[in-house]
Amino acid sequence: MIPTARTNGHEIEERNDSLIITDEQNNKIIELDRLTGLVWKSCNGEKSPWEIQTELKTSFGVQASEDEVWQSLSELTKMNLLFDNYDSIERYSTMLEWEEDSLKPAPA
């Protein structure tokens, strides 16, 4: 599964080390730490969690472990800021899918 951020109905304000999201539909204000905010902004429906981890380093200069990226995805899920569910079970299942895909022979 590729994480996709829920962005409709959200007003976004960047502060020094955080991202403030105003969820106008649910009348909530959510503050994300820098790492979780960058992960959320990277969830465009085209990158895997591992690609997001790489992007954090190359584009933002942020060293984040695989566990930290998955923790951020889990937090974003709990805050209803992603379309899909990302937790430890999902992580394991996704890893298996990626391994299976990498083991498939290339098309001729």
Side-chain angles (χ1 to χ4, degrees), residues 1 8 16 23 30-31 35 47-48 55 60 66 68 76-77 82-84 88 94 99-101 103-105:
M1 294 176 75
N8 291 341
N16 292 336
D23 181 346
I30 302 165
E31 183 173 1
L35 175 62
K47 295 183 216 88
S48 72
E55 179 180 25
F60 304 107
E66 182 180 324
E68 289 172 314
L76 293 166
T77 295
L82 297 179
F83 281 106
D84 297 311
S88 58
T94 302
E99 284 180 15
E100 288 173 9
D101 287 345
L103 295 174
K104 291 180 184 175

Side-chain angles (χ1 to χ4, degrees), residues 18-37:
S18 64
L19 188 68
I20 308 297
I21 300 170
T22 303
D23 181 346
E24 297 168 352
Q25 293 174 336
N26 295 311
N27 202 26
K28 293 190 308 188
I29 295 175
I30 302 165
E31 183 173 1
L32 303 177
D33 61 50
R34 182 168 187 251
L35 175 62
T36 304

